[in-house]
Amino acid sequence: MNGFTTKAIHSPFAVNDSHGALRMPVYDCVSFELESAEEMEAAFAGRKPAHAYTRITNPTVEDFEQRIKAVTGSFAVVALSSGMAAISTAILSITGAGDNLVASKFLFGDTYSFLKETLSGLGIEVRFADPLHPETFERLIDGRTRAIYLESLSNPLLYVPDLASFSAIAKRHGVALVVDTTMTPPYLFNSREFGVDVELLSATKAISGGATALGGLVIDNGTYDWGNNRLLSACAKKYGPFAFISKIRKQTARYLGGCLAPHNAYLLSLGLETLALRLEKSCPNALVVAEYLNGRAGVKAVNYPGLLNSPFYEVAARQFPRLPGSVVSFEFLDRETCFEFINALRLIRRSTNLHDNKSLCIHPASTILSHLSEAERVEAGVTQSCVRLSVGIEDVEDIINDIDQALEWRA
Amino acid sequence: MKYKVNGEEREANGTAITVSDILTNERVQNQDMVAVQFNSEFLNKALFNSTSVKDGEEVDFVYFMGGGQGRI
């Protein structure tokens, strides 16, 4: 069983269902009964593999985690309630007051604010650097740096960091390489192959597919020695490579409480089974859209690393050998033109979210990045004239026709 | 000889027993997701077959599911 989709569909669930159910049932319940006081004691001490309370673990959620583990070939997986729950839980598991992170300055708006505002309030410093120049990260690393934090593809400008360079820097300094891969989910990107120690992603996006459920994933590739992290060194002595996961399960996720709802785990498992099929449709669609927009009158620039004239074409081809996702962004002359274009769309929906089956369009500066100051948006490279398209799985002629009529309308 | 598993005393014939045999005897499932400690130190899975537990020594194993104690 080697293929991505075969594993996604056939990874066996551990429950011996009395009805022979072919799919993991939804255990939509809060607690589980154990047979005796002794069994309860053993379960709570971790000596018995039993579920006790859904905030901690749940069979349907565990089945989803095991499927993700199977398709990614990772060491361990924890599924949580959203992408932001995955990010906050993972970061708060490896950093404490006095520590620092060195992070990309081109980040998803909520991640940027979490790192800059929430973490600084906890005494955790975040040093922002340019991911297109890995040496700027290396200069900021010191003895209290716990991780390098990146996105595999920046949103909405689709910059591609050279992950092999970052992996080399992380290894040289003994810090973890943590990468949000939401824009290039499993099937498009093998994070372990490029030296990523911890992969974080919003399962809400490509894995859900039809935008049916929120969810987030923390994926430990088992490649980092957690004994190097002062918060986890005692854990590493007891639990070895399980140190990070044990910290999440036994402390951070448990106390922050961002557990994944069992029904959402069920929906995300369904989505995982068709992830590759949908990406095989949406990514080529995105390339067609990018090629169509490239050079069109009134379109100043098109960002898609799958375009031959993209400055990121080579590194994207190396890191994402199929295609670099299904998001395209482009620049008009000004904000007014962006709004006119967006308002003229008939098929493509005006909505946030990414990797939905439907094509979606948004003006990032006035929406998902509106909580940033103008100076922060400029630093992040996002202008008022930028439009982002998340290209769906519709027939590409219909997507092109809609873009075409919107461009014609404003012309 | 006598040894301890998760704090409980066990007995075995002979002078030693491997960690692998102990996990089998204890019916430990999903060994990929179980952390094993030998005399309070983490033991790598690759060493389960070759590590002999002798009289007075201790083996602990922990699943990362279920209730799980809060302290780590």
Side-chain angles (χ1 to χ4, degrees):
Chain A
M1 193 159 75
N2 292 320
F4 184 97
T5 298
T6 312
K7 287 179 187 169
I9 292 173
H10 289 288
S11 293
F13 58 91
V15 173
N16 294 318
D17 182 73
S18 58
H19 302 287
L22 268 175
R23 175 173 298 289
M24 182 68 172
V26 185
Y27 283 83
D28 216 346
C29 57
V30 169
S31 59
F32 300 85
E33 185 176 24
L34 291 144
E35 287 183 3
S36 64
E38 289 77 11
E39 293 237 323
M40 289 178 81
E41 181 187 37
F44 273 71
R47 298 195 302 270
K48 177 183 168 63
H51 300 280
Y53 193 65
T54 287
R55 176 163 52 82
I56 317 300
T57 58
N58 172 283
T60 314
V61 176
E62 184 191 28
D63 179 65
F64 175 53
E65 292 169 341
Q66 291 303 313
R67 285 168 184 251
I68 293 292
K69 186 168 180 271
V71 299
T72 57
S74 56
F75 177 71
V77 176
V78 177
L80 294 161
S81 59
S82 69
M84 285 308 300
I87 290 169
S88 54
T89 300
I91 296 301
L92 291 172
S93 297
I94 61 173
T95 54
D99 292 338
N100 69 71
L101 295 175
V102 185
S104 165
K105 64 179 183 178
F106 306 123
L107 293 175
F108 167 56
D110 285 353
T111 304
Y112 178 81
S113 296
F114 168 70
L115 297 185
K116 189 174 180 189
E117 294 164 18
T118 311
L119 290 189
S120 68
L122 299 172
I124 301 161
E125 184 191 355
V126 181
R127 303 168 176 179
F128 292 98
D130 184 348
L132 304 184
H133 297 280
E135 70 280 3
T136 62
F137 278 63
E138 188 156 28
R139 285 200 289 269
L140 296 175
I141 293 173
D142 63 21
R144 295 304 293 267
T145 303
R146 299 297 160 225
I148 290 173
Y149 188 93
L150 298 169
E151 290 174 355
S152 59
L153 197 59
S154 78
N155 170 16
L157 296 181
L158 310 178
Y159 295 155
V160 187
D162 180 349
L163 292 170
S165 298
F166 281 102
S167 173
I169 292 171
K171 283 184 172 55
R172 201 150 51 233
H173 294 273
V175 301
L177 179 58
V178 180
V179 180
D180 180 337
T181 63
T182 300
M183 296 282 281
T184 56
Y187 185 70
L188 295 183
F189 177 52
N190 182 336
S191 69
R192 192 185 165 100
E193 198 177 303
F194 288 90
V196 175
D197 297 306
V198 175
E199 182 176 2
L200 306 172
L201 75 157
S202 169
T204 313
K205 310 299 189 300
I207 292 175
S208 164
T212 53
L214 292 167
L217 290 163
V218 179
I219 300 173
D220 183 351
N221 279 325
T223 47
Y224 184 69
D225 179 359
W226 296 108
N228 290 334
N229 183 302
R230 74 177 176 97
L231 289 183
L232 295 175
S233 56
C235 235
K237 202 171 175 193
K238 279 174 81 177
Y239 302 129
F242 294 96
F244 177 54
I245 288 300
S246 69
K247 172 90 173 177
I248 289 178
R249 287 244 190 260
K250 290 172 174 291
Q251 276 194 355
T252 330
R254 181 188 176 104
Y255 301 151
L256 293 180
C259 57
L260 180 63
H263 191 70
N264 283 10
Y266 171 80
L267 292 171
L268 293 169
S269 289
L270 277 180
L272 181 65
E273 294 185 3
T274 58
L275 175 64
L277 294 176
R278 288 181 284 105
L279 290 170
E280 288 286 0
K281 187 80 161 72
S282 61
C283 296
N285 279 0
L287 179 59
V288 171
V289 167
E291 286 172 339
Y292 168 81
L293 289 167
N294 203 20
R296 281 279 307 210
V299 176
K300 272 169 54 187
V302 179
N303 307 308
Y304 185 68
L307 284 174
L308 283 170
N309 65 351
S310 164
F312 303 108
Y313 179 82
E314 268 187 36
V315 65
R318 200 163 59 239
Q319 290 174 182
F320 319 120
R322 290 188 165 95
L323 270 176
S326 57
V327 175
V328 176
S329 66
F330 53 99
E331 300 272 336
F332 282 121
L333 287 173
D334 50 36
R335 170 189 164 106
E336 289 66 35
T337 313
C338 295
F339 276 42
E340 285 172 10
F341 171 79
I342 291 170
N343 289 338
L345 292 169
R346 293 174 184 164
L347 175 78
I348 299 170
R349 306 299 181 94
R350 288 167 284 275
S351 178
T352 188
N353 201 16
L354 297 168
H355 302 296
D356 192 337
N357 291 340
K358 301 176 185 68
S359 293
L360 306 175
C361 187
I362 198 164
H363 178 250
S366 63
T367 55
I368 55 173
L369 298 174
S370 62
H371 59 298
L372 303 185
S373 68
E374 190 60 30
E376 285 173 325
R377 274 200 297 277
V378 169
E379 180 67 17
V382 180
T383 67
Q384 292 288 344
S385 55
C386 175
V387 168
R388 186 187 78 186
L389 274 175
S390 173
V391 181
I393 63 171
E394 301 97 333
D395 297 297
V396 73
E397 301 79 15
D398 293 324
I399 301 171
I400 294 292
N401 284 341
D402 194 33
I403 294 171
D404 195 50
Q405 66 81 25
L407 290 171
E408 290 302 321
W409 181 86
R410 55 159 297 282
Chain B
M1 71 119 184
K2 291 180 179 174
Y3 60 97
K4 282 187 176 175
V5 177
N6 285 344
E8 292 180 8
E9 201 159 87
R10 300 280 192 272
E11 284 190 43
N13 295 325
T15 56
I17 180 170
T18 67
V19 169
S20 271
D21 287 340
I22 289 174
L23 296 179
T24 301
N25 292 347
E26 300 291 331
R27 296 177 184 172
V28 170
Q29 302 162 28
N30 303 327
Q31 292 194 10
D32 277 354
M33 288 308 292
V34 177
V36 174
Q37 292 150 30
F38 175 48
N39 294 334
S40 302
E41 294 275 331
F42 176 77
L43 185 70
N44 194 299
K45 191 173 67 170
L47 301 175
F48 289 177
N49 278 327
S50 59
T51 301
S52 294
V53 179
K54 301 183 184 65
D55 193 59
E57 294 189 312
E58 297 179 20
V59 170
D60 296 276
F61 57 88
V62 180
Y63 290 98
F64 295 109
M65 58 188 299
Q69 74 268 38
R71 285 180 301 164
I72 54 176

